[in-house]
Amino acid sequence: DIQMTQSPSSLSASVGDRVTITCRASQSISSYLNWYQQKPGKAPNLLIYAATSLQSGVPSRFSGSGSGTDFTLTISSLQPEDFASYFCQQSYTTPRAFGPGTKVDIK
Amino acid sequence: QVQLQESGPGLVKPSQTLSLTCTVSGGSISSGSYYWSWIRQPAGKGLEWIGRIYTSGSTNYNPSLKSRLTMSVDTSKNQFSVNLSSVTAADTAVYYCASESSTVTGRALDYWGQGTLVTVSS
């Protein structure tokens, strides 16, 4: 099975900051990497699919990069509504697997 | 736009079977464009992929749960279901149903239900 790791596990940032979250797969997953945002008490929401494609309706300050085993989610200018947890997920093979998550909170 | 809604008991006794149903609206479960998935999340923890089912009934299960897991689809009701047997406290979690697109979003989970909390306790 493919294992996913994320770093950092949490971070504190201010509104307007550029934020970068890293996700690593235990083997190559090509570009089959997705990013989700989850707010407390809510279901996850798809932000980025296929490593770099922005889901419809998601603000352009979110972007994704990477391929193979190393991937990055970037928020170019953090907004108040972006304080949440972020999860990566591989969709290269089954069983699908999620990263452990990164919690972004207010500095 | 596809909408999903989980339903089922919120409390299950240890050793019994957890049964949940997801009702799909805004689209046909038989469309062939989606795999229908289950994910769970213990309180304060990360997301665990449980498995998925295609409209044909073909399934993929998480190996860690496979021996206790059964999924089914009812196209007449536009629903799919999960049964998890021999539950323990470790199965207490919020359970989500979701759709995995086989076309538009490159196999991402693009629509989610709101989630339902299932507690395993006597």
CSV table of all heavy atoms in Angstrom, one decimal, chain A residues 1 32 34 36 38 42-44 46 49 55 87 89 91-96 98 100, chain B residues 39 41 46-49 52 60 62-63 96 100 104-110 112-113:
chain,number,residue,atom,x,y,z
A,1,ASP,N,0.8,-1.2,0.0
A,1,ASP,CA,0.0,0.0,0.0
A,1,ASP,C,0.9,1.3,0.0
A,1,ASP,O,2.0,1.3,0.6
A,1,ASP,CB,-0.9,0.0,1.2
A,1,ASP,CG,-1.9,-1.1,1.2
A,1,ASP,OD1,-1.9,-1.9,0.3
A,1,ASP,OD2,-2.6,-1.3,2.3
A,32,TYR,N,-1.4,11.7,-9.6
A,32,TYR,CA,-2.6,11.4,-9.0
A,32,TYR,C,-2.6,11.8,-7.5
A,32,TYR,O,-2.7,11.0,-6.6
A,32,TYR,CB,-2.9,9.9,-9.2
A,32,TYR,CG,-3.3,9.5,-10.6
A,32,TYR,CD1,-2.3,9.0,-11.4
A,32,TYR,CD2,-4.5,9.7,-11.1
A,32,TYR,CE1,-2.6,8.6,-12.7
A,32,TYR,CE2,-4.9,9.4,-12.4
A,32,TYR,CZ,-3.9,8.9,-13.2
A,32,TYR,OH,-4.2,8.5,-14.5
A,34,ASN,N,-4.4,14.7,-4.8
A,34,ASN,CA,-5.5,15.7,-4.6
A,34,ASN,C,-5.3,16.3,-3.2
A,34,ASN,O,-4.7,15.7,-2.3
A,34,ASN,CB,-6.8,14.9,-4.6
A,34,ASN,CG,-6.9,14.1,-5.9
A,34,ASN,OD1,-6.8,14.5,-7.0
A,34,ASN,ND2,-7.2,12.8,-5.6
A,36,TYR,N,-7.4,18.6,-0.2
A,36,TYR,CA,-8.7,18.9,0.4
A,36,TYR,C,-8.5,19.9,1.6
A,36,TYR,O,-7.5,19.8,2.3
A,36,TYR,CB,-9.4,17.6,0.9
A,36,TYR,CG,-9.6,16.6,-0.1
A,36,TYR,CD1,-8.6,15.7,-0.4
A,36,TYR,CD2,-10.8,16.5,-0.9
A,36,TYR,CE1,-8.8,14.7,-1.4
A,36,TYR,CE2,-11.0,15.6,-1.8
A,36,TYR,CZ,-10.0,14.6,-2.1
A,36,TYR,OH,-10.1,13.7,-3.1
A,38,GLN,N,-10.5,21.1,5.1
A,38,GLN,CA,-11.6,20.7,6.0
A,38,GLN,C,-11.6,21.7,7.2
A,38,GLN,O,-10.6,22.0,7.8
A,38,GLN,CB,-11.4,19.3,6.6
A,38,GLN,CG,-12.5,18.8,7.4
A,38,GLN,CD,-12.3,17.4,8.0
A,38,GLN,OE1,-11.2,17.0,8.3
A,38,GLN,NE2,-13.5,16.7,8.1
A,42,LYS,N,-17.1,20.1,9.5
A,42,LYS,CA,-17.6,20.0,8.1
A,42,LYS,C,-16.9,18.9,7.3
A,42,LYS,O,-15.8,18.4,7.7
A,42,LYS,CB,-17.3,21.4,7.4
A,42,LYS,CG,-18.0,22.5,8.0
A,42,LYS,CD,-19.5,22.5,7.8
A,42,LYS,CE,-20.1,23.7,8.3
A,42,LYS,NZ,-21.6,23.7,8.2
A,43,ALA,N,-17.5,18.5,6.2
A,43,ALA,CA,-16.8,17.5,5.3
A,43,ALA,C,-15.6,18.2,4.6
A,43,ALA,O,-15.6,19.4,4.4
A,43,ALA,CB,-17.8,17.0,4.3
A,44,PRO,N,-14.7,17.4,4.2
A,44,PRO,CA,-13.6,17.9,3.4
A,44,PRO,C,-14.1,18.5,2.1
A,44,PRO,O,-15.2,18.1,1.6
A,44,PRO,CB,-12.7,16.7,3.2
A,44,PRO,CG,-13.0,15.8,4.3
A,44,PRO,CD,-14.4,16.0,4.6
A,46,LEU,N,-12.8,19.5,-1.9
A,46,LEU,CA,-11.8,19.4,-2.9
A,46,LEU,C,-11.2,20.7,-3.3
A,46,LEU,O,-12.0,21.6,-3.8
A,46,LEU,CB,-12.3,18.6,-4.1
A,46,LEU,CG,-11.3,18.4,-5.2
A,46,LEU,CD1,-10.1,17.5,-4.8
A,46,LEU,CD2,-12.0,17.7,-6.4
A,49,TYR,N,-7.0,18.9,-7.8
A,49,TYR,CA,-7.0,17.5,-8.2
A,49,TYR,C,-5.9,17.4,-9.3
A,49,TYR,O,-5.4,18.3,-9.9
A,49,TYR,CB,-8.3,17.1,-8.8
A,49,TYR,CG,-8.8,17.8,-10.0
A,49,TYR,CD1,-8.6,17.3,-11.3
A,49,TYR,CD2,-9.6,19.0,-9.9
A,49,TYR,CE1,-9.0,18.0,-12.4
A,49,TYR,CE2,-10.0,19.7,-11.0
A,49,TYR,CZ,-9.7,19.2,-12.2
A,49,TYR,OH,-10.2,19.9,-13.4
A,55,GLN,N,-9.9,23.0,-8.6
A,55,GLN,CA,-11.3,22.7,-8.7
A,55,GLN,C,-12.2,23.9,-8.9
A,55,GLN,O,-11.9,25.0,-8.4
A,55,GLN,CB,-11.7,21.9,-7.4
A,55,GLN,CG,-13.2,21.7,-7.2
A,55,GLN,CD,-13.8,20.6,-8.1
A,55,GLN,OE1,-13.2,20.4,-9.2
A,55,GLN,NE2,-14.9,20.0,-7.8
A,87,PHE,N,-5.5,18.2,3.8
A,87,PHE,CA,-5.1,16.8,3.6
A,87,PHE,C,-4.8,16.6,2.1
A,87,PHE,O,-5.5,17.0,1.2
A,87,PHE,CB,-6.3,15.9,4.0
A,87,PHE,CG,-6.7,15.9,5.4
A,87,PHE,CD1,-7.7,16.8,5.8
A,87,PHE,CD2,-6.1,15.1,6.3
A,87,PHE,CE1,-8.1,16.9,7.2
A,87,PHE,CE2,-6.5,15.1,7.7
A,87,PHE,CZ,-7.5,16.0,8.1
A,89,GLN,N,-4.2,13.4,-0.7
A,89,GLN,CA,-4.7,12.1,-1.0
A,89,GLN,C,-4.2,11.6,-2.3
A,89,GLN,O,-4.2,12.3,-3.3
A,89,GLN,CB,-6.3,12.1,-1.0
A,89,GLN,CG,-6.9,10.7,-1.2
A,89,GLN,CD,-8.0,10.8,-2.4
A,89,GLN,OE1,-8.2,11.8,-3.0
A,89,GLN,NE2,-8.6,9.6,-2.6
A,91,SER,N,-4.7,9.1,-5.5
A,91,SER,CA,-5.7,8.4,-6.3
A,91,SER,C,-5.0,7.6,-7.4
A,91,SER,O,-5.7,7.4,-8.4
A,91,SER,CB,-6.8,9.4,-6.8
A,91,SER,OG,-6.2,10.4,-7.5
A,92,TYR,N,-3.8,7.2,-7.2
A,92,TYR,CA,-3.1,6.4,-8.2
A,92,TYR,C,-3.5,5.0,-8.1
A,92,TYR,O,-3.7,4.3,-9.2
A,92,TYR,CB,-1.6,6.5,-7.9
A,92,TYR,CG,-0.7,5.7,-8.8
A,92,TYR,CD1,-0.5,6.2,-10.1
A,92,TYR,CD2,-0.1,4.6,-8.4
A,92,TYR,CE1,0.3,5.5,-11.0
A,92,TYR,CE2,0.8,3.9,-9.3
A,92,TYR,CZ,1.0,4.3,-10.6
A,92,TYR,OH,1.8,3.6,-11.4
A,93,THR,N,-3.8,4.5,-7.0
A,93,THR,CA,-4.2,3.1,-6.8
A,93,THR,C,-5.0,2.9,-5.6
A,93,THR,O,-5.1,3.8,-4.8
A,93,THR,CB,-2.9,2.2,-6.7
A,93,THR,OG1,-3.3,0.8,-6.8
A,93,THR,CG2,-2.1,2.4,-5.5
A,94,THR,N,-5.7,1.7,-5.5
A,94,THR,CA,-6.4,1.4,-4.2
A,94,THR,C,-5.5,0.5,-3.4
A,94,THR,O,-4.7,-0.3,-3.9
A,94,THR,CB,-7.7,0.7,-4.5
A,94,THR,OG1,-7.4,-0.5,-5.2
A,94,THR,CG2,-8.6,1.6,-5.3
A,95,PRO,N,-5.6,0.6,-2.1
A,95,PRO,CA,-6.5,1.5,-1.3
A,95,PRO,C,-6.0,2.9,-1.4
A,95,PRO,O,-4.8,3.2,-1.3
A,95,PRO,CB,-6.4,1.0,0.1
A,95,PRO,CG,-5.0,0.4,0.2
A,95,PRO,CD,-4.7,-0.2,-1.1
A,96,ARG,N,-7.0,3.8,-1.6
A,96,ARG,CA,-6.7,5.2,-1.6
A,96,ARG,C,-6.1,5.6,-0.2
A,96,ARG,O,-6.4,4.9,0.8
A,96,ARG,CB,-7.9,6.1,-1.8
A,96,ARG,CG,-8.6,5.8,-3.2
A,96,ARG,CD,-7.8,6.3,-4.3
A,96,ARG,NE,-8.6,6.3,-5.6
A,96,ARG,CZ,-8.3,5.6,-6.7
A,96,ARG,NH1,-7.2,4.8,-6.7
A,96,ARG,NH2,-9.0,5.7,-7.7
A,98,PHE,N,-4.8,8.9,2.5
A,98,PHE,CA,-4.7,10.3,2.8
A,98,PHE,C,-3.5,10.6,3.6
A,98,PHE,O,-3.0,9.7,4.4
A,98,PHE,CB,-5.9,10.8,3.7
A,98,PHE,CG,-7.3,10.8,3.0
A,98,PHE,CD1,-8.0,9.6,3.0
A,98,PHE,CD2,-7.7,11.9,2.3
A,98,PHE,CE1,-9.3,9.6,2.3
A,98,PHE,CE2,-8.9,11.9,1.7
A,98,PHE,CZ,-9.7,10.7,1.7
A,100,PRO,N,-1.7,12.7,6.8
A,100,PRO,CA,-2.2,12.9,8.2
A,100,PRO,C,-2.8,14.3,8.4
A,100,PRO,O,-3.4,14.5,9.4
A,100,PRO,CB,-1.0,12.6,9.0
A,100,PRO,CG,0.2,12.9,8.1
A,100,PRO,CD,-0.3,12.5,6.8
B,39,ILE,N,-15.6,7.1,3.6
B,39,ILE,CA,-14.4,7.5,4.3
B,39,ILE,C,-14.8,7.8,5.7
B,39,ILE,O,-16.0,8.1,6.0
B,39,ILE,CB,-13.9,8.9,3.7
B,39,ILE,CG1,-13.5,8.7,2.2
B,39,ILE,CG2,-12.7,9.4,4.5
B,39,ILE,CD1,-14.6,9.1,1.2
B,41,GLN,N,-13.6,9.3,9.9
B,41,GLN,CA,-12.6,10.2,10.6
B,41,GLN,C,-12.9,10.1,12.0
B,41,GLN,O,-13.9,10.7,12.5
B,41,GLN,CB,-12.8,11.6,10.0
B,41,GLN,CG,-11.8,12.6,10.6
B,41,GLN,CD,-11.9,13.9,10.0
B,41,GLN,OE1,-12.9,14.4,9.6
B,41,GLN,NE2,-10.7,14.6,9.8
B,46,GLY,N,-7.2,11.9,11.5
B,46,GLY,CA,-7.2,12.1,10.1
B,46,GLY,C,-8.3,11.2,9.4
B,46,GLY,O,-9.1,10.6,10.0
B,47,LEU,N,-8.2,11.3,8.1
B,47,LEU,CA,-9.2,10.6,7.2
B,47,LEU,C,-8.7,9.2,6.8
B,47,LEU,O,-7.6,9.0,6.5
B,47,LEU,CB,-9.4,11.4,5.9
B,47,LEU,CG,-10.0,12.8,6.2
B,47,LEU,CD1,-9.7,13.7,4.9
B,47,LEU,CD2,-11.5,12.8,6.5
B,48,GLU,N,-9.6,8.3,6.9
B,48,GLU,CA,-9.3,6.9,6.5
B,48,GLU,C,-10.3,6.5,5.4
B,48,GLU,O,-11.5,6.5,5.6
B,48,GLU,CB,-9.5,5.9,7.7
B,48,GLU,CG,-9.2,4.5,7.3
B,48,GLU,CD,-9.3,3.5,8.5
B,48,GLU,OE1,-10.1,3.8,9.4
B,48,GLU,OE2,-8.6,2.5,8.5
B,49,TRP,N,-9.7,6.0,4.3
B,49,TRP,CA,-10.5,5.5,3.2
B,49,TRP,C,-11.0,4.1,3.5
B,49,TRP,O,-10.2,3.2,3.8
B,49,TRP,CB,-9.6,5.5,1.9
B,49,TRP,CG,-10.3,5.2,0.6
B,49,TRP,CD1,-11.0,6.0,-0.2
B,49,TRP,CD2,-10.3,3.9,0.0
B,49,TRP,NE1,-11.5,5.3,-1.3
B,49,TRP,CE2,-11.0,4.0,-1.2
B,49,TRP,CE3,-9.7,2.7,0.2
B,49,TRP,CZ2,-11.2,3.0,-2.1
B,49,TRP,CZ3,-9.8,1.6,-0.6
B,49,TRP,CH2,-10.6,1.8,-1.8
B,52,ARG,N,-14.8,1.6,-1.9
B,52,ARG,CA,-15.7,2.2,-2.9
B,52,ARG,C,-16.4,1.1,-3.7
B,52,ARG,O,-15.9,-0.1,-3.7
B,52,ARG,CB,-14.8,3.0,-3.9
B,52,ARG,CG,-13.9,2.2,-4.7
B,52,ARG,CD,-13.1,3.1,-5.7
B,52,ARG,NE,-12.3,2.3,-6.6
B,52,ARG,CZ,-11.6,2.8,-7.6
B,52,ARG,NH1,-11.5,4.1,-7.9
B,52,ARG,NH2,-10.9,2.0,-8.4
B,60,ASN,N,-13.8,-2.1,-4.2
B,60,ASN,CA,-12.4,-2.0,-3.7
B,60,ASN,C,-12.5,-1.7,-2.2
B,60,ASN,O,-13.1,-0.7,-1.9
B,60,ASN,CB,-11.5,-1.0,-4.4
B,60,ASN,CG,-11.4,-1.3,-5.9
B,60,ASN,OD1,-12.1,-0.6,-6.7
B,60,ASN,ND2,-10.6,-2.2,-6.3
B,62,ASN,N,-10.5,-1.3,1.7
B,62,ASN,CA,-9.3,-1.1,2.5
B,62,ASN,C,-8.9,-2.5,3.1
B,62,ASN,O,-9.7,-3.0,3.8
B,62,ASN,CB,-9.4,0.0,3.5
B,62,ASN,CG,-8.1,0.4,4.2
B,62,ASN,OD1,-7.3,-0.5,4.4
B,62,ASN,ND2,-8.0,1.6,4.5
B,63,PRO,N,-7.7,-2.9,2.8
B,63,PRO,CA,-7.3,-4.3,3.4
B,63,PRO,C,-7.4,-4.4,4.9
B,63,PRO,O,-7.7,-5.4,5.4
B,63,PRO,CB,-5.9,-4.4,2.9
B,63,PRO,CG,-5.8,-3.6,1.7
B,63,PRO,CD,-6.7,-2.4,1.9
B,96,TYR,N,-18.3,9.4,6.3
B,96,TYR,CA,-18.7,10.2,5.1
B,96,TYR,C,-18.9,9.3,3.9
B,96,TYR,O,-18.1,8.4,3.7
B,96,TYR,CB,-17.6,11.2,4.7
B,96,TYR,CG,-17.2,12.3,5.7
B,96,TYR,CD1,-16.1,12.2,6.6
B,96,TYR,CD2,-18.0,13.4,5.8
B,96,TYR,CE1,-15.8,13.2,7.5
B,96,TYR,CE2,-17.7,14.4,6.7
B,96,TYR,CZ,-16.6,14.3,7.6
B,96,TYR,OH,-16.3,15.3,8.5
B,100,GLU,N,-16.3,9.6,-6.3
B,100,GLU,CA,-15.0,9.7,-6.9
B,100,GLU,C,-15.2,9.8,-8.4
B,100,GLU,O,-15.6,8.7,-9.0
B,100,GLU,CB,-14.1,8.6,-6.5
B,100,GLU,CG,-12.7,8.6,-7.1
B,100,GLU,CD,-11.9,7.4,-6.8
B,100,GLU,OE1,-11.6,7.1,-5.7
B,100,GLU,OE2,-11.6,6.7,-7.8
B,104,VAL,N,-14.0,13.7,-14.8
B,104,VAL,CA,-13.7,15.2,-14.8
B,104,VAL,C,-12.5,15.5,-13.8
B,104,VAL,O,-11.7,16.3,-14.2
B,104,VAL,CB,-15.0,16.0,-14.3
B,104,VAL,CG1,-14.6,17.4,-14.2
B,104,VAL,CG2,-16.1,15.7,-15.3
B,105,THR,N,-12.5,15.0,-12.6
B,105,THR,CA,-11.5,15.5,-11.6
B,105,THR,C,-10.5,14.4,-11.3
B,105,THR,O,-10.0,14.4,-10.2
B,105,THR,CB,-12.2,16.0,-10.3
B,105,THR,OG1,-13.0,14.9,-9.8
B,105,THR,CG2,-13.1,17.2,-10.6
B,106,GLY,N,-10.1,13.6,-12.3
B,106,GLY,CA,-9.0,12.8,-12.2
B,106,GLY,C,-9.0,11.9,-11.0
B,106,GLY,O,-8.0,11.7,-10.3
B,107,ARG,N,-10.2,11.3,-10.7
B,107,ARG,CA,-10.3,10.3,-9.6
B,107,ARG,C,-10.2,11.0,-8.2
B,107,ARG,O,-9.9,10.3,-7.2
B,107,ARG,CB,-9.3,9.2,-9.7
B,107,ARG,CG,-9.3,8.7,-11.2
B,107,ARG,CD,-8.6,7.4,-11.4
B,107,ARG,NE,-7.3,7.2,-10.9
B,107,ARG,CZ,-6.3,6.4,-11.5
B,107,ARG,NH1,-6.6,5.9,-12.7
B,107,ARG,NH2,-5.2,6.2,-11.0
B,108,ALA,N,-10.5,12.2,-8.1
B,108,ALA,CA,-10.6,12.9,-6.8
B,108,ALA,C,-12.0,12.7,-6.2
B,108,ALA,O,-13.0,12.4,-6.9
B,108,ALA,CB,-10.3,14.4,-6.9
B,109,LEU,N,-12.1,12.9,-4.9
B,109,LEU,CA,-13.4,12.9,-4.2
B,109,LEU,C,-14.1,14.3,-4.3
B,109,LEU,O,-13.7,15.1,-3.5
B,109,LEU,CB,-13.2,12.4,-2.8
B,109,LEU,CG,-12.7,11.0,-2.7
B,109,LEU,CD1,-12.0,10.8,-1.3
B,109,LEU,CD2,-13.8,10.0,-2.9
B,110,ASP,N,-14.9,14.4,-5.3
B,110,ASP,CA,-15.4,15.8,-5.6
B,110,ASP,C,-16.7,16.2,-4.9
B,110,ASP,O,-16.9,17.4,-4.7
B,110,ASP,CB,-15.5,16.1,-7.1
B,110,ASP,CG,-16.2,15.0,-7.8
B,110,ASP,OD1,-16.7,14.0,-7.2
B,110,ASP,OD2,-16.3,15.1,-9.1
B,112,TRP,N,-19.1,15.3,-1.4
B,112,TRP,CA,-19.1,14.6,-0.1
B,112,TRP,C,-20.5,14.8,0.6
B,112,TRP,O,-21.1,15.9,0.5
B,112,TRP,CB,-18.1,15.2,0.9
B,112,TRP,CG,-16.7,15.0,0.4
B,112,TRP,CD1,-16.0,15.5,-0.7
B,112,TRP,CD2,-15.7,14.2,1.1
B,112,TRP,NE1,-14.7,15.1,-0.7
B,112,TRP,CE2,-14.5,14.3,0.4
B,112,TRP,CE3,-15.7,13.5,2.3
B,112,TRP,CZ2,-13.3,13.7,0.8
B,112,TRP,CZ3,-14.5,12.8,2.7
B,112,TRP,CH2,-13.3,12.9,2.0
B,113,GLY,N,-20.9,13.8,1.4
B,113,GLY,CA,-22.0,14.0,2.3
B,113,GLY,C,-21.6,14.9,3.5
B,113,GLY,O,-20.4,15.1,3.6
